[in-house]
Amino acid sequence: MKGELLYEGKAKKVFVVEGDEKSLVLSYKNDATAFNGKKKASFIGKGKYNNLITAKIFDYLHSKGIATHFQKSLNETEQLVTKTAIIPVEVVVRNVAAGSITKRLGMKEKTVFSPALVELFYKDDDLGDPLINDEHARILANVDPFELEQMKEAARAINEHLLAFFETVNLQLADFKLEFGKDVEGNLLLADEISPDTCRLWDMETGEKMDKDVFREDIGDLIETYDAILQRLEAVK
Ligand code: TMP
């Protein structure tokens, strides 16, 4: 079923599916990178955690009527998704200040954004994924204002669903990154992954960081952290 390798990114490989032109296989790697690939490591089991956690979250979003590329898990590290042309714009939603915004704009960590702050970044490793505005997105990524509005609206709706979802497992969703793609019919679908690699999750009682910041900041064991996230999500009915 799994055909040739189409693309290899920092955290996943993408394979064609023989006999099914509308689908792809995503294979989650054990590699972790941070700071635009400047910091690198590999953790046995990481691919499994991000595959299974993404599957849980996308299933939940489907139950809320959000259109995503996710079809099903195939095994511990692979999932079948609908093929899309990825729009090279990363949509970051921030509920509280953390990470790059604290450095870029001097905002104090934990400053609350209500309503949530939506930022756009141009997905280009050579440029280090720079912050862009709507007009840059129109020119660089060829997204028209209507599509961009659709992406931002979807991102806000997804934020509301994810805030509620993570709250049930005692996690505060500080921020996260989304990517969207267009399927062969031109439908806009949520794509890529939603995992502790792409979210900031803080324990609601202790404030403990339970995401890739443990690797970025060398403050904990990545596999133990991701395992704790999966265990909490698996307890959700
Ligand atoms: P930032 O604070 O570094 O801008 O990150 C904001 C959120 O986006 C955080 O939850 C991590 C996530 N993110 C990615 O998923 N991929 C990336 O390449 C970057 C820079 C951030």
Side-chain angles (χ1 to χ4, degrees):
M1 186 186 185
K2 196 168 92 183
E4 68 175 88
L5 177 70
L6 201 61
Y7 172 79
E8 178 161 0
K10 286 181 286 198
K12 294 186 286 301
K13 291 181 185 172
V14 183
F15 294 88
V16 299
V17 180
E18 277 163 11
D20 180 358
E21 281 188 5
K22 291 189 172 180
S23 301
L24 295 170
V25 170
L26 292 191
S27 177
Y28 284 73
K29 307 200 302 186
N30 286 336
D31 299 342
T33 65
F35 312 117
N36 200 24
K38 285 189 206 82
K39 180 171 180 171
K40 282 188 201 152
S42 192
F43 298 92
I44 294 165
K46 174 173 176 284
K48 176 187 87 171
Y49 287 113
N50 280 353
N51 177 44
L52 299 179
I53 292 168
T54 295
K56 272 258 160 209
I57 293 173
F58 277 51
D59 276 341
Y60 172 77
L61 290 175
H62 285 166
S63 78
K64 299 294 173 188
I66 303 290
T68 88
H69 74 159
F70 178 72
Q71 294 180 27
K72 62 176 181 180
S73 291
L74 296 170
N75 54 52
E76 280 202 328
T77 56
E78 295 181 320
Q79 52 189 231
L80 190 70
V81 302
T82 301
K83 186 195 272 185
T84 62
I86 295 289
I87 297 167
V89 173
E90 299 191 342
V91 182
V92 168
V93 182
R94 299 184 190 274
N95 294 302
V96 294
S100 70
I101 198 167
T102 63
K103 297 186 189 83
R104 190 179 349 105
L105 299 177
M107 286 181 179
K108 247 186 109 199
E109 187 167 273
K110 297 198 170 73
T111 303
V112 174
F113 301 122
S114 182
L117 174 63
V118 177
E119 292 182 332
L120 306 177
F121 294 84
Y122 182 41
K123 196 172 148 62
D124 185 315
D125 282 343
D126 292 340
L127 298 175
D129 296 349
L131 179 77
I132 57 170
N133 68 21
D134 292 24
E135 293 180 50
H136 296 131
R138 178 168 53 78
I139 296 163
L140 291 166
N142 198 26
V143 274
D144 65 45
F146 174 74
E147 272 167 3
L148 202 57
E149 217 37 59
Q150 258 188 304
M151 287 163 64
K152 287 189 195 172
E153 257 176 46
R156 289 186 192 283
I158 291 162
N159 184 44
E160 293 306 316
H161 294 309
L162 292 184
L163 276 170
F165 183 59
F166 283 119
E167 195 181 340
T168 63
V169 294
N170 223 14
L171 290 168
Q172 180 184 3
L173 176 64
D175 61 32
F176 60 99
K177 185 264 304 181
L178 300 175
E179 293 182 26
F180 292 88
K182 277 204 241 172
D183 68 11
V184 286
E185 279 104 35
N187 301 306
L188 188 72
L189 301 181
L190 176 65
D192 197 53
E193 65 181 281
I194 300 182
S195 70
D197 269 17
T198 65
C199 298
R200 283 197 173 89
L201 299 165
W202 298 340
D203 183 275
M204 280 186 147
E205 262 142 49
T206 63
E208 185 192 350
K209 293 181 178 180
M210 299 188 68
D211 54 63
K212 199 164 85 173
D213 274 349
V214 299
F215 168 66
R216 293 191 189 95
E217 300 174 9
D218 288 315
I219 51 172
D221 184 295
L222 182 137
I223 293 299
E224 273 177 24
T225 302
Y226 285 28
D227 184 61
I229 297 290
L230 181 63
Q231 282 189 36
R232 288 194 196 192
L233 296 183
E234 278 182 340
V236 179
K237 289 292 161 295

